[in-house]
């Protein structure tokens, strides 16, 4: 194994596989390089609420807390772009047992950004293109054993209910996307509990009615709980989605993801010509509408042709079946007539 200090400031460790057919490359970065990348990208970081409270309350315009309006404290969940100057060091929230504000998932995001960014401080690697042409088999973050053990202790036991999941810890290790996914699973599973109770009561009522009337269809028609259950399911579905929207928006605010869609980068699969944006002058990938229309027409024509081919094949099969059945019926009638003449 050997270490290379690349021009981007990243640390790379390269070594052969056991059969020496593959080369593994471990990429890392020092905290100073992480800070520099975060500063260059204006990376959104959580601000320390105690520092904010001290600085703001000592100023001319202290923030008035109205607990009747919101349960959140006035200095919670506030994010801002990272600045690496020493004077801003105390401004950012540091995780426990850490002397810097960067969580594991933050460091992974920043290293990946340095690898893919085409600025003069980035490597400019198109990782998806490298995977597509076979130069790169795959890339993924390495696990951290101490975080895995902590999650296993707080998340894996059977007595942990869906609404008791350590969502913030999941998000800190796996990222916001995975954290929001498990938050939805917990919300959906929790809301299934009242639905299952109502369904079990309705099913028991139908079972009793079927024993009385000796007919399931009549039991379904006379049970007054069936229409009530249908109405409940309709309201349940609507309320479940509305409460999820509220919870999703709350988590997006708590995690500093409210403007995520405004800052979201293009998919790796998206390709196009690099031009300067007509709106803000930034370099963007542009796919001409004329090419998109041409591809859509070609795809539409191909799909229509295949649909017509399937319809033709089905029609031929039905016609052949009808023709064979007709011939079989005619042959059966002729045989019966011949037998009648002999008799």
């Amino acid at each position: 194994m050997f270490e290379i200090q690349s021009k981007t400031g990243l640390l790379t460790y390269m070594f052969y596989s056991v059969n020496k057919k593959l080369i593994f490359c471990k990429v890392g970065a020092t905290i100073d390089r992480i800070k520099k990348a975060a500063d260059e990208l204006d990376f959104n970081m959580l601000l320390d609420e105690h520092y904010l409270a001290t600085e703001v309350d000592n100023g001319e315009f202290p923030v008035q807390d109205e607990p009747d309006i919101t349960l959140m404290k006035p200095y919670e969940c506030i994010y801002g772009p990272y600045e690496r100057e020493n004077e801003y060091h105390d401004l950012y929230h540091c995780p426990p047992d850490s002397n810097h504000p960067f969580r594991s998932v933050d460091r992974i995001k920043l290293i990946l950004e340095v690898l893919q960014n085409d600025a003069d401080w980035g490597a400019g690697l198109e990782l998806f293109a490298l995977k597509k042409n076979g130069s790169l088999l795959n890339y993924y973050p390495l696990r951290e054993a101490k975080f895995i053990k902590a999650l296993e202790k707080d998340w894996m036991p059977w007595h942990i209910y869906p609404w008791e999941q350590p969502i913030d810890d999941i998000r800190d290790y796996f990222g916001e996307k995975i954290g929001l996914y498990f938050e939805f699973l917990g919300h959906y599973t929790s809301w299934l509990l009242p639905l299952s109770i109502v369904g079990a009561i309705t099913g028991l009522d139908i079972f009793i009615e079927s024993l009385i009337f000796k007919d399931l269809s009549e039991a379904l028609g006379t049970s007054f709980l069936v229409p009530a259950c249908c109405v409940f399911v309709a309201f349940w579905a609507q309320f479940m989605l509305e409460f999820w929207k509220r919870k999703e928006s709350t988590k997006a605010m708590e995690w500093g993801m409210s403007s995520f869609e405004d800052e979201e980068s293009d998919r790796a699969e998206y390709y196009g010509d690099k031009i300067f944006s007509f709106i803000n002058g930034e370099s963007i990938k542009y796919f001409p509408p004329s090419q998109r229309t041409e591809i859509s027409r070609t795809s539409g024509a191909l799909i229509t042709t295949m649909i017509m081919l399937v319809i033709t094949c089905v029609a031929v099969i039905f016609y052949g079946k009808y023709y064979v059945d007709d011939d079989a019926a005619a042959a059966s009638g002729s045989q019966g007539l011949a037998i009648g003449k002999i008799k």
Side-chain angles (χ1 to χ4, degrees):
M1 183 185 298
F2 57 94
E3 179 179 339
I4 301 175
Q5 182 73 36
S6 65
K7 67 174 184 177
T8 59
L10 296 177
L11 303 175
T12 57
Y13 303 86
M14 304 181 67
F15 53 94
Y16 281 109
S17 62
V18 176
N19 56 11
K20 294 190 175 183
K21 292 183 179 181
L22 300 175
I23 297 177
F24 295 97
C25 179
K26 295 172 63 177
V27 181
T30 62
I31 293 300
D32 290 337
R33 184 64 186 92
I34 293 293
K35 291 180 179 180
K36 181 180 178 182
D39 189 10
E40 290 165 338
L41 292 167
D42 288 335
F43 195 72
N44 219 25
M45 298 292 294
L46 178 65
L47 305 185
D48 187 80
E49 60 178 294
H50 302 293
Y51 180 85
L52 289 177
T54 303
E55 293 296 319
V56 175
D57 288 343
N58 291 337
E60 299 179 0
F61 304 101
V63 175
Q64 300 297 324
D65 186 12
E66 297 290 344
D68 296 335
I69 298 177
T70 174
L71 297 177
M72 299 188 67
K73 298 178 181 179
Y75 304 106
E76 283 184 326
C77 307
I78 298 179
Y79 289 76
Y82 182 77
E83 300 289 342
R84 59 174 170 162
E85 285 77 9
N86 291 332
E87 58 183 302
Y88 299 109
H89 176 75
D90 296 331
L91 177 61
Y92 304 101
H93 171 74
C94 291
D97 303 327
S98 178
N99 58 356
H100 58 79
F102 300 100
R103 303 164 300 155
S104 173
V105 66
D106 293 329
R107 298 196 296 271
I108 293 171
K109 289 179 182 178
L110 289 168
I111 291 174
L112 190 61
E113 188 63 36
V114 173
L115 287 173
Q116 297 184 111
N117 201 296
D118 55 2
D120 54 357
W121 51 266
L125 298 177
E126 296 185 3
L127 298 180
F128 177 79
L130 293 175
K131 281 184 61 177
K132 192 173 182 180
N133 63 26
S135 302
L136 180 68
L137 292 182
N138 208 341
Y139 59 95
Y140 45 85
L142 298 179
R143 72 187 187 97
E144 296 191 32
K146 63 177 183 179
F147 291 109
I148 289 293
K149 290 181 180 178
L151 275 178
E152 185 177 359
K153 179 182 178 181
D154 298 335
W155 191 21
M156 293 293 103
W158 63 269
H159 56 79
I160 300 297
Y161 294 107
W163 52 86
E164 294 178 339
Q165 295 183 100
I167 294 298
D168 290 332
D169 294 336
I170 296 171
R171 168 249 182 173
D172 288 341
Y173 186 74
F174 292 104
E176 289 79 10
K177 185 176 180 180
I178 302 299
L180 202 61
Y181 168 75
F182 281 104
E183 177 75 351
F184 175 76
L185 285 185
H187 171 81
Y188 180 63
T189 307
S190 302
W191 273 73
L192 283 177
L193 182 60
L195 184 64
S196 62
I197 294 174
V198 173
I201 294 174
T202 305
L204 180 61
D205 177 67
I206 293 173
F207 176 73
I208 295 174
E209 295 283 351
S210 63
L211 293 179
I212 296 174
F213 293 101
K214 305 298 184 180
D215 184 27
L216 180 60
S217 60
E218 189 173 353
L220 290 173
T222 57
S223 174
F224 68 92
L225 287 182
V226 172
C229 180
C230 295
V231 174
F232 176 82
V233 170
F235 278 96
W236 174 90
Q238 188 63 34
F239 278 107
M240 187 273 291
L241 290 177
E242 293 302 322
F243 273 86
W244 164 245
K245 290 177 184 178
R246 186 172 70 173
K247 182 177 290 188
E248 182 184 29
S249 300
T250 302
K251 283 300 178 184
M253 183 193 66
E254 291 178 359
W255 295 348
M257 305 298 292
S258 298
S259 59
F260 173 74
E261 293 183 354
D262 299 334
E263 304 169 359
E264 190 176 7
S265 58
D266 296 330
R267 292 185 299 109
E269 296 86 352
Y270 179 74
Y271 65 92
D273 301 327
K274 287 189 176 181
I275 66 169
F276 293 103
S277 172
F278 303 110
I279 300 173
N280 54 20
E282 294 182 355
S283 178
I284 61 172
K285 288 182 179 180
Y286 176 74
F287 192 74
S290 57
Q291 294 186 23
R292 184 184 299 110
T293 303
E294 183 180 352
I295 293 175
S296 299
R297 289 176 178 174
T298 303
S299 301
L302 181 61
I303 293 173
T304 303
T305 302
M306 299 306 296
I307 291 175
M308 296 303 297
L309 181 61
V310 170
I311 293 175
T312 303
C313 292
V314 172
V316 169
I317 291 172
F318 273 96
Y319 177 77
K321 185 175 180 299
Y322 173 78
Y323 183 77
V324 170
D325 291 343
D326 190 47
D327 286 351
S332 176
S334 299
Q335 184 179 5
L337 181 61
I339 294 173
K341 287 183 178 179
I342 293 174
K343 288 181 179 181

